[in-house]
Amino acid sequence: MTMNPAYDMTYRVEQFERGRAHRVRSVDQRLGGRGINVNRVLNQLGKYARATGFSDHSFAAAAELEMPVDFVHALPWVRRTVVISESGDGTATALWEPGPRISEPHAVDQLRVRVAGMLSDMSGMVIAGSLPGGVDPGLPAELARTAVHAGVPTICDLDGTALELSARVPGVILTPNTEELERLTGRPATTVPEVLAAVDPLIADGAGAVIVTRGGAGMIAVTANRAWSAALPEPLAGNPTGAGDAAVAAIIAGLAGTRTPNWPALLTDAVATSAAAVVIPVAGEIDRVLRDRLMPTVRVTELEPVAARS
């Protein structure tokens, strides 16, 4: 589910320097937004996924050429995101435009109806990204609560108030990066012990699991009783823009259709899939050959969660 989609623009330059003109070597434009990227990676993993949320007519028509969609046409226009990708060392600089305000007064009710109609066929749901103007930040939590109550594994990959409210939904899966976790909890989350301490209250409040993405340092997953870290022996250089979306796609694929996830296997897949996205200059794509090659190298270590120590 992508409520605030975007046209993702990638400009490739040799080296980016502030305050000077640059000759762009190439430009890519594609449909984007966190949920769109998750949907695209799921399709590459061989999973059927449908994109929904809010859009305008042009974006929805373009998306329909690439993937199954069921958007509410409620936006006056769709924003752009710009990534400046440096060919020298793979450094990426991102610029995010704000989204428009919802123009259709009944848009939220229409989205509720769409989600309710899909529940019986869902094996997993992801609510990802920012919200357009005029949408209550409690809407993702409301939709997540409905899905979890219906027995559908649900990931909320959000930030700010929307993440704070979604974190209170019993059984929901949260996938913040370290910065989002720090904003959510008001606690530092740099080291492994700090991450575990920050996540502990979220688990105590009923979250089904929290998977914290840590860039090149891998991931930490915490459930009610257990915790694990997972990482490659060495991080890969490249464009990290779509790495989190690729990880979320692998996580929901591992959670779908099961009540007892194999967390070490799931984390192995998520780390390898995320790394396979880093080497691609645009978000929403993975190098599937590299993913298969990396999976045996992922190191998963069981940790002692804070709850077990107390």
Side-chain angles (χ1 to χ4, degrees), residues 5 19-20 38 49 60 62 79 88 91 97 118 156 161 174 183 201 203 220 223 226 229-230 239 262 280 287 297:
R20 62 173 289 260
V38 170
R79 68 195 176 110
T91 299
E97 290 184 2
M118 296 179 193
C156 284
T161 304
L174 306 176
R183 287 192 290 269
I203 296 295
I220 293 176
T223 66
R226 303 177 72 181
S229 66
N239 176 17
N262 182 336
I280 304 294
D287 183 329
T297 72

Side-chain angles (χ1 to χ4, degrees), residues 73-261:
H73 299 163
L75 299 178
W77 46 272
V78 169
R79 68 195 176 110
R80 294 171 299 179
T81 65
V82 178
V83 172
I84 303 170
S85 178
E86 301 180 47
S87 58
D89 61 2
T91 299
T93 302
L95 304 171
W96 309 134
E97 290 184 2
R101 291 188 66 83
I102 289 289
S103 60
E104 166 57 53
H106 304 295
V108 171
D109 288 336
Q110 292 178 46
L111 185 59
R112 290 187 180 108
V113 170
R114 276 167 168 72
V115 172
M118 296 179 193
L119 280 177
S120 61
D121 296 324
M122 279 188 198
S123 58
M125 183 170 77
V126 174
I127 306 173
S130 59
L131 304 180
V135 173
D136 191 309
L139 179 61
E142 175 193 332
L143 297 174
R145 184 174 286 104
T146 299
V148 171
H149 182 72
V152 176
T154 301
I155 292 176
C156 284
D157 187 29
L158 307 162
D159 196 5
T161 304
L163 176 58
E164 180 182 345
L165 296 174
S166 297
R168 303 173 188 171
V169 176
V172 74
I173 311 298
L174 306 176
T175 55
N177 59 37
T178 52
E179 292 82 6
E180 291 164 346
L181 180 63
E182 288 178 346
R183 287 192 290 269
L184 173 62
T185 63
R187 301 185 180 203
T190 302
T191 66
V192 172
E194 287 175 345
V195 170
L196 294 175
V199 166
D200 185 57
L202 303 176
I203 296 295
D205 286 343
V210 181
I211 301 99
V212 183
T213 56
R214 308 174 68 219
M219 303 176 191
I220 293 176
V222 184
T223 66
N225 302 309
R226 303 177 72 181
W228 300 264
S229 66
L232 292 173
E234 296 290 338
L236 299 183
N239 176 17
T241 306
D245 301 330
V248 169
I251 293 166
I252 196 62
L255 292 173
T258 179
R259 293 188 177 276
T260 55

Side-chain angles (χ1 to χ4, degrees), residues 235-304:
L236 299 183
N239 176 17
T241 306
D245 301 330
V248 169
I251 293 166
I252 196 62
L255 292 173
T258 179
R259 293 188 177 276
T260 55
N262 182 336
W263 284 102
L266 187 154
L267 289 171
T268 296
D269 193 355
V271 168
T273 303
S274 178
V278 169
V279 299
I280 304 294
V282 294
E285 300 286 341
I286 61 171
D287 183 329
R288 285 176 285 183
V289 173
L290 177 62
R291 169 179 172 263
D292 293 341
R293 184 156 54 86
L294 290 175
M295 286 183 67
T297 72
V298 177
R299 299 171 178 172
V300 179
T301 303
E302 184 154 10
L303 308 171
E304 187 177 11

